[in-house]
Every structure is written in C-alpha cells, then in structure tokens.
Amino acid sequence: MNKDIITVTSPLLPDLNDFHAELQKIWDSKWITNNGAFHKQLELALAEYLGVPYVSLFTNGTLPLITALQALRITGEVITTPYSFVATTHALWWNGIKPVFVDIDPATGNIDPDKIEAAITPRTTAIMPVHVYGKPCDTSRIQEIANKYGLKVIYDAAHAFGVKVNGESILNAGDMSTLSFHATKVYNTIEGGAMVMHDERTKQRIDYLKNFGFENETTIMGPGINSKMDEVRAAYGLLTLKQVDDAIEARHQVAIAYRKALRDVEGITFFDDMPGVRHNYSYFPIFVDANKYGMTRDDLYFKMKAANVLGRRYFYPLISEFSTYRGLESAKPENLPQAHNMANSVICLPMHHALTEEDIQRTIECIMK
Ligand SMILES: *Cc1c(COP(=O)(O)O)cnc(C)c1O
C-alpha cells in the first residue's frame, strides 16, 4: 500500500476568509506596494514580536544579504561558513566579494570562532556567520574578534526567526541580521524577508536602498535596487504572525517526540535544546554514523523516500563544493573536515506545525527498523 507523502516542511497558511477580508481593504485602497499601510504595520509588528528596534521588509531573504553588504560597503574578503544554504555565499559573490570558508563547530553546526582569526588577511572586511537550524552562534566571541580586527558582522539569520538567548533576540547581534520569510521557513510571507538593524539612520538608508535609492522625488542617495515587499504579502504576513507561536509550539512537540524515540538508537545523534535559548524548531537534523547504525546516511535517506517520508539532506553538498566556489583555497576539504562530516551524515526529518501523530510515528519507524 502506498502511504501518503510526508513532506519535510509545510507552509503556515492564513485562514483564506481572513486573508480575503484583508485583500478587500487593499483593493479598496488601491495602494498595492511602495510602503503602504500593511507594509508599515508589518514592520512594526515584527519589530515588536522579535524584540528588535528596527525591521525593514524585503521581497525575499537573499536581497537583504546583498543589500547589507552594499550598505556597509563591504569589499575584499569575507569570512563565512560552508554549512548553509547557498544564498549566503551567493550574496558575497554578487557583490564581487571573495568568500573565505572557515570550518564549523560540530557541537552546533555554526562557524567555529576558534578558527576565524587564522583566516583573517589584510583584505578581510567582515564576517558573515549563519545561525544554522536556528541554533545561536557564539555571538560574543565573534564580536570580540570583529572588534579586535575592525570587521563588520552580518548574520544570515534566515533560520533564526524568534530565537532568543536569555530573553534577548539573537537578531540584535552584529551590525545587521537578515531573515527569510520563504514558504519553507518557520514564518512565511510566501516569498519575503527582512533586515534587522539597530539605529534609525541605518533603517532609513536601507529603506532608500531597497527602493532604487530614492530619498525623495528627485534625490537618489546611492545605487539602490528594487527589493520591496508588496501590500498583499505584508497583509498575509500580519495573519501568519498571529499563528506563528502556536506553530512553533507544535514544532516543539514534534522535536520532543523525535528525541524521545531516537535517543537510544545506536548511531543516530541529534541536537538537544541549549540552556537559556528559546528555540524555533525550524529543522530537526539527525546525524547518521554508518558504522554504528549499520546503514549509510544515503541508504537511510532513500529508504525513507521509498516509504514516502521525505527528509532532506540539508546541507549537502557543502557550498564550498559547488563549481563556483570549489576552486577557492579555503574550499579545500582539508580546510573543512567538520563541515564535510556533518554534510555527509545529516538528514533533516520532516518538521512542521501540521505533522500528525501518525506522520511522526511513520518517520520514527523508518529510522528504528
Ligand atoms: C532560505 C535561506 C536564504 C534565502 O532566503 P530566500 O527568502 O529563499 O531568498 C538565505 N540563507 C539561508 C541560510 C536560508 O536558509
């Protein structure tokens, strides 16, 4: 019997009638983009929800990365992680910046602060870490290094929506953080994203830059781009924001069930919650030790697939393995042993707010036997 497909993620959708009522308001106003009422309201609502001073909305999560690098006039070399979604490094490439890959800490999957200093050269201008799977980077260590060498820090926080450390938003770390509101993320606006910044002047500059650099009708403050979010998706985002806490709690329950069932499975490991951290349970990666488990990661991945349980090998291959980047000195596998280990052993299990008890059981059974 062919069982239903269990997908790795599922979008958090607003109630269609609620959305329709909001659409009616947009139709009545005839203001469909360019910093309209819903756009303004969502920026304020997100700043409040996330616990950050300023938010600037974007049309996706890649453009705020590209724009942050432009706004801070980053050039030369930037230190980053190979263990991420490819957009992180692409944003550097689109700015003509050379990415310098540093290995990860296997305890978190994040860039290893102990390895950053050795990668700094006279051309280094910034560090671009990623809070991978929403697990907080060691932001104070990274900031210390940045201060010592006069570097900027831009966090790709695409996975870290709503993550807090000791009650403080992780998005307040560094010079700027960027978010993705893509359909596959914990919080979505279909496509969408944002930048988080600390001061009003930067917020103003970013708001100009995302609208071609227009400061007013006749003044262009710099070479801007068009990466604005429209009113339809802002209205959608106001509705999904109301649902996101329940969705995170539902994900938390899935994580509890997975951990309980898989804790004693020989050769399978996973991350536990970190003390003092409000996690968002955006992903549930497991790591397969083929010798102990008796099956390789890929064999388990394809076995799950055959049972219609669609895990994903996030993040495999590493960014440093893609043709654009593999020729770089820092992309050599000898430089990145921990990242290679993780990329070769990971499967992200299905993780979303709408998984049923039965879905969770079917996923667990694939791994247990
Ligand atoms: C999703 C994601 C992005 C890109 O976001 P889009 O909204 O899809 O452009 C960037 N970085 C990371 C780590 C991501 O997971």
Side-chain angles (χ1 to χ4, degrees), residues 26 31-47 55-59 181 187 193-195 203 206-208 210-211 226-238:
I26 296 172
W31 189 312
I32 61 176
T33 188
N34 285 63
N35 200 23
F38 285 99
H39 184 283
K40 286 187 181 132
Q41 205 185 325
L42 182 57
E43 285 191 342
L44 292 175
L46 282 170
V55 171
S56 183
L57 288 171
F58 278 74
T59 197
F181 305 152
Y187 167 76
M195 192 190 299
K203 156 86 171 141
I206 296 298
D207 286 349
Y208 295 151
K210 75 181 181 190
N211 187 33
N226 179 10
S227 47
K228 308 184 291 291
M229 183 183 279
D230 60 80
E231 286 294 275
V232 172
R233 288 185 293 148
Y236 176 107
L238 280 161

Side-chain angles (χ1 to χ4, degrees), residues 271-314:
F271 295 126
D272 277 302
D273 285 356
M274 293 160 74
V277 175
R278 191 259 188 168
H279 291 280
N280 64 8
Y281 307 97
S282 47
Y283 300 87
F284 195 90
I286 62 167
F287 305 98
V288 183
D289 178 334
N291 289 328
K292 290 189 189 154
Y293 183 63
M295 190 187 267
T296 66
R297 183 275 306 270
D298 284 348
D299 285 345
L300 175 58
Y301 170 74
F302 288 112
K303 180 187 166 196
M304 287 167 60
K305 203 168 186 173
N308 273 345
V309 176
L310 306 186
R312 289 297 293 269
R313 288 170 291 180
Y314 287 145

Side-chain angles (χ1 to χ4, degrees), residues 59-63 65 84-85 87-88 130 156 158-159 179-182 184-185 191-193 283 315:
T59 197
N60 60 47
T62 302
L63 284 160
L65 282 169
S84 179
F85 181 62
T88 312
V130 179
D156 180 343
H159 300 176
L179 291 163
S180 166
F181 305 152
H182 184 258
T184 52
K185 307 294 207 271
E191 294 269 357
Y283 300 87
F315 288 95

Side-chain angles (χ1 to χ4, degrees), residues 44-182:
L44 292 175
L46 282 170
E48 158 128 29
Y49 175 85
L50 296 168
V52 300
Y54 299 98
V55 171
S56 183
L57 288 171
F58 278 74
T59 197
N60 60 47
T62 302
L63 284 160
L65 282 169
I66 291 174
T67 308
L69 293 162
Q70 281 283 320
L72 295 173
R73 303 194 210 292
I74 303 298
T75 57
E77 295 176 4
V78 170
I79 289 172
T80 190
T81 171
Y83 195 78
S84 179
F85 181 62
V86 70
T88 312
T89 311
H90 281 352
L92 297 171
W93 206 256
W94 273 68
N95 278 287
I97 294 163
K98 181 175 164 189
V100 175
F101 297 112
V102 162
D103 207 6
I104 57 169
D105 176 354
T108 61
N110 291 327
I111 195 166
D112 185 343
D114 287 338
K115 307 225 169 92
I116 292 177
E117 286 198 67
I120 295 174
T121 75
R123 293 175 298 282
T124 310
T125 54
I127 308 170
M128 195 148 92
V130 179
H131 304 291
V132 79
Y133 307 130
K135 292 179 74 66
C137 287
D138 188 343
T139 54
S140 45
R141 284 286 311 286
I142 291 169
Q143 196 59 52
E144 268 172 37
I145 298 166
N147 292 346
K148 183 168 161 195
Y149 292 90
L151 307 176
K152 301 285 188 197
V153 185
I154 299 165
Y155 283 98
D156 180 343
H159 300 176
F161 185 88
V163 173
K164 293 188 174 176
V165 180
N166 299 323
E168 155 103 27
S169 174
I170 192 75
L171 304 171
N172 287 323
D175 292 279
M176 290 169 180
S177 293
T178 66
L179 291 163
S180 166
F181 305 152
H182 184 258

